[in-house]
């Protein structure tokens, strides 16, 4: 019940494309859904986060869509750039509990 | 403001040995979490310490242990190393609640031969 399922495992798009990464969770106690971005040789860093009281959150070119009834959420990257090439992790969190990371999606944006 | 530092950055050990990894959190952060990262497995949570107390624990064998000192610095110890322990070990610090951003260090790459 603690798992966060993430897909796809890897994704290749052309510059300007809109990669979409999908996640699903089972733990209904989760009330915090951050996304972390990791570049090679670096630790993950917070990209954007959403709480279940909103269905969408946008920060720059990054948008999270959240469907509470389906227990699913996704990350869209508008006008993707080669610099967006990284591994992306969706995460579920509940108060007092540790964060649960998805398996990660390796995104490659070709020039 | 200095980020999270981890030492050493790289480590090579042989099976059966033990290892200690160190993490210095961002100044003022009281929570330190440890994760194991391997290809295809994502980030597996090991444990979290807050004010010198273990607050959460993942599903790892007892060979994995940790502690936190009064200055919030943390150490992680793995005894009787196995080949499968080869991984990137990441430390993250935060102010302390689930909703606070976790700041990750660059990790320690452990190779067990």
């Amino acid at each position: 019940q603690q798992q966060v399922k993430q897909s796809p495992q890897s994704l290749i798009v052309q510059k300007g494309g809109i990669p979409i990464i999908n996640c699903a969770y089972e733990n209904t106690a989760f009330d915090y859904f951050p996304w972390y971005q990791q570049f090679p040789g670096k630790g993950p860093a917070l990209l954007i986060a959403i709480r279940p009281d909103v269905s969408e959150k946008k920060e720059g070119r990054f948008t999270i869509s959240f469907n509470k009834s389906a227990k699913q959420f996704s990350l869209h990257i508008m006008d993707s750039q080669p610099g967006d090439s990284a591994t992306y992790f969706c995460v579920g969190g509940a108060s007092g509990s540790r964060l649960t990371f998805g398996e990660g999606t390796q995104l490659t944006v070709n020039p | 403001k200095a980020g999270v530092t981890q030492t050493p950055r790289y480590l090579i050990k042989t099976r059966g040995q033990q290892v200690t990894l160190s993490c210095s959190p961002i100044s003022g952060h009281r929570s330190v979490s440890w994760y194991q990262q391997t290809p295809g497995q994502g980030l597996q949570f090991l444990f979290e310490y807050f004010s010198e107390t273990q607050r959460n624990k993942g599903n790892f064998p007892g060979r994995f242990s940790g502690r936190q000192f009064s200055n919030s610095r943390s150490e992680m110890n793995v005894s009787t190393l196995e080949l499968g322990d080869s991984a990137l070990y990441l430390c993250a610090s935060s102010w302390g609640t689930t909703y606070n951003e976790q700041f990750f260090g660059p990790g320690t790459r452990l190779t067990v031969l």
Side-chain angles (χ1 to χ4, degrees), chain A residues 7 12 17 23 39-41 50 58 60 67 72 82 84 86 95 98 100:
Chain A
S7 64
I12 300 174
C23 290
F39 292 104
I50 196 169
K58 187 178 296 187
N67 185 331
Q72 295 175 346
D84 296 329
S95 178
R98 50 95 164 183
T100 300

Side-chain angles (χ1 to χ4, degrees), chain A residues 12-19 79-81 108-111:
Chain A
I12 300 174
V13 300
Q14 293 298 120
K15 177 183 174 183
I18 306 175
D79 187 26
S80 59
Q81 301 296 313
T108 302
V109 182
N110 289 325

Side-chain angles (χ1 to χ4, degrees), chain B residues 6 8-13 19 21 35-39 41-44 46 60 64 76 78 81-90 106-113:
Chain B
Q6 291 188 245
R9 291 292 312 277
Y10 303 91
L11 207 48
I12 299 175
K13 292 285 187 179
V19 66
L21 312 181
Y35 297 85
Q36 181 194 67
Q37 184 173 24
T38 54
Q41 292 291 317
L43 273 71
Q44 302 293 312
L46 282 153
F60 277 80
F64 292 80
M76 188 193 111
V78 188
L81 284 166
E82 300 178 359
L83 296 179
D85 296 333
S86 293
L88 181 68
Y89 290 88
L90 291 161
T108 294
R109 172 73 63 185
L110 171 65
T111 301
V112 182
L113 302 176

